[in-house]
Amino acid sequence: NSPAGWSGEVYIKGQQLALAELLKYRIPEGYRFRRGQADFELWSEWKKGRMRWLGGSTGLQNLELVQLSQENRVANKILQIDRLGGNIRWQYQTDGWDLDIQDIRLERMGLNWPNSRFSIATRFDPRGHLHIRSGADFLRIEDIGAVIRMFPLPDPEFEQALASMRPHSDLHDLRFRYDADDQHTRWSARGTASSLFTKHWRAIPGVNNLSTRFWANQDRGTLQLEGRDTQLRFPRLFRDPLTLQRLEGLLQWRRQPDGGWLVDTRNLLASNRDLSTRSRLRLAFPADPKQSLFMDLQTDFRDGDARTTSRYLPVGIMSDKVVAWLDHSIESGRVVEGSCLVRGPLRDFPFNETD
């Protein structure tokens, strides 16, 4: 009669179940469903009191989850999802489990995901170390970000960056892997992002309409930039967004032995109706935040229209008198070609004499 000895198959079906009542005492403290309905039809197999597999279809409609403030128990954050559903299959393995979700359907704020699939497999090796393999056909980053922001994050800096930059993009063909042992954890991720939009945050520029292909792990990464009619926003440096008809290049980064990071690109192409440039850039981010960021930049430019000089003046690091003079002194002309070199700790910019 012990549940540990039970074996069999279970079928369960539910329609228009009110989540506010169904999960009232089954979700973490500080959260509450204001509304939402659930439909599901599931089959499962049990052996010796353990579920061996679970499969079927699920659907949620008009979901509203709120995070309550600790002070007065009013809604602090709200997550609204119009519709979420898919066909799931969970499979027990002797050393872990597999989860496969197909025909994912998600609608939020009137926008629908394309029909997509998500899979994850976990395994534990003989020493109990966790290994994860995961993949997704499609993710909409603003929807994932809305879910993440509902929960406390271990790194306040990341939470602030996510809230400030508010990234929007469609991610495709994502792959993720994670491996742990007694001394290290290793991970890697790759995929593509289309129509990326972010607001600026600190020294990171805002971006509009940029496509990328990326690969990264815990120590290094690459970002292939593929932009058409892309806008870059440097509000602390330029007065207006920089609009580029073309932006292409390979950006790479890697962790340094002292814990800092090195970011470089050897052939960054950017052009619009006013100017064409080819740049080499290296940025060294020190491990000690008290030390200055070091930049090594060389830009070659050609076919420049001098009448548009004001658009490209880095007014954030120039004196008002110099900016005013340049704004009114250059009336016409053509830049056949030229070069610009900036090399040194940015904390000391503008550099004087031989600095």
Side-chain angles (χ1 to χ4, degrees):
N1 294 326
S2 171
W6 291 359
S7 297
E9 296 181 353
V10 176
Y11 169 77
I12 183 171
K13 182 177 181 178
Q15 291 181 305
Q16 298 183 350
L17 300 179
L19 294 177
E21 294 298 324
L22 183 66
L23 302 178
K24 186 175 183 179
Y25 302 106
R26 295 175 175 84
I27 62 174
E29 177 69 21
Y31 294 89
R32 181 166 62 88
F33 281 104
R34 274 184 177 169
R35 58 188 175 89
Q37 291 183 333
D39 301 316
F40 58 83
E41 186 173 19
L42 300 170
W43 292 261
S44 62
E45 180 183 38
W46 297 71
K47 291 184 179 180
K48 296 182 179 180
R50 290 175 176 260
M51 187 168 64
R52 297 296 171 165
W53 66 265
L54 172 72
S57 61
T58 62
L60 302 173
Q61 297 85 34
N62 302 317
L63 176 68
E64 185 172 302
L65 175 67
V66 299
Q67 181 198 67
L68 305 174
S69 64
Q70 296 181 352
E71 295 79 13
N72 49 21
R73 307 297 292 175
V74 299
N76 185 34
K77 299 177 181 179
I78 302 175
L79 173 66
Q80 295 177 324
I81 296 178
D82 302 326
R83 184 168 61 98
L84 173 62
N87 299 320
I88 68 171
R89 181 177 177 86
W90 179 90
Q91 179 73 52
Y92 167 81
Q93 304 291 344
T94 56
D95 54 353
W97 51 265
D98 298 335
L99 174 64
D100 186 36
I101 307 176
Q102 299 188 32
D103 301 322
I104 297 174
R105 303 173 300 278
L106 190 150
E107 180 182 351
R108 177 175 171 268
M109 300 181 67
L111 298 177
N112 290 288
W113 285 26
N115 213 353
S116 55
R117 178 181 179 182
F118 170 80
S119 298
I120 181 171
T122 68
R123 296 292 185 270
F124 291 91
D125 62 29
R127 303 189 65 176
H129 302 134
L130 176 62
H131 304 270
I132 299 174
R133 302 292 184 268
S134 182
D137 292 343
F138 177 89
L139 292 177
R140 183 158 286 149
I141 198 170
E142 55 265 40
D143 295 334
I144 302 302
V147 175
I148 292 175
R149 288 194 297 271
M150 288 294 295
F151 304 95
L153 298 176
D155 186 353
E157 188 92 344
F158 176 74
E159 185 171 9
Q160 183 183 357
L162 188 64
S164 300
M165 297 178 71
R166 294 196 169 274
H168 288 61
S169 180
D170 289 345
L171 305 180
H172 304 268
D173 301 324
L174 295 167
R175 299 294 182 268
F176 175 80
R177 62 185 296 163
Y178 171 92
D179 297 285
D181 57 31
D182 290 334
Q183 297 181 342
H184 304 97
T185 59
R186 297 178 299 278
W187 61 267
S188 67
R190 62 180 173 88
T192 64
S194 62
S195 304
L196 175 65
F197 168 88
T198 67
K199 293 186 176 181
H200 79 278
W201 181 68
R202 296 185 180 175
I204 302 176
V207 176
N208 187 19
N209 197 31
L210 177 65
S211 296
T212 68
R213 290 182 283 121
F214 62 88
W215 175 90
N217 67 12
Q218 67 282 346
D219 296 317
R220 62 181 62 240
T222 63
L223 188 68
Q224 180 69 49
L225 306 177
E226 301 170 351
R228 293 291 185 272
D229 297 323
T230 301
Q231 280 192 338
L232 303 178
R233 300 181 188 85
F234 300 83
R236 297 182 181 179
L237 193 61
F238 300 105
R239 287 176 285 200
D240 300 312
L242 303 181
T243 300
L244 303 173
Q245 293 174 302
R246 178 190 182 195
L247 177 62
E248 294 180 0
L250 178 65
L251 189 69
Q252 299 176 304
W253 63 91
R254 59 185 179 273
R255 189 194 303 270
Q256 298 298 94
D258 63 356
W261 290 89
L262 184 66
V263 179
D264 72 83
T265 178
R266 300 179 183 180
N267 190 28
L268 181 64
L269 304 178
S271 63
N272 59 16
R273 294 182 178 88
D274 302 328
L275 191 67
S276 296
T277 66
R278 182 186 299 268
S279 301
R280 173 187 57 79
L281 172 66
R282 174 169 290 196
L283 295 171
F285 294 84
D288 184 356
K290 296 180 181 179
Q291 297 181 6
S292 175
L293 168 68
F294 189 94
M295 182 169 75
D296 182 2
L297 168 67
Q298 179 179 334
T299 297
D300 300 322
F301 49 88
R302 59 183 175 82
D303 299 332
D305 185 349
R307 295 174 300 176
T308 63
T309 298
S310 294
R311 299 178 187 172
Y312 305 100
L313 295 177
V315 297
I317 56 175
M318 298 174 65
S319 70
D320 293 341
K321 290 183 178 180
V322 172
V323 172
W325 183 82
L326 290 172
D327 280 344
H328 296 91
S329 63
I330 302 178
E331 295 184 357
S332 65
R334 196 78 188 169
V335 178
V336 178
E337 63 179 19
S339 295
C340 172
L341 177 65
V342 179
R343 188 176 190 276
L346 290 187
R347 181 177 296 169
D348 299 335
F349 190 88
F351 309 128
N352 296 316
E353 297 179 357
T354 59
D355 288 352

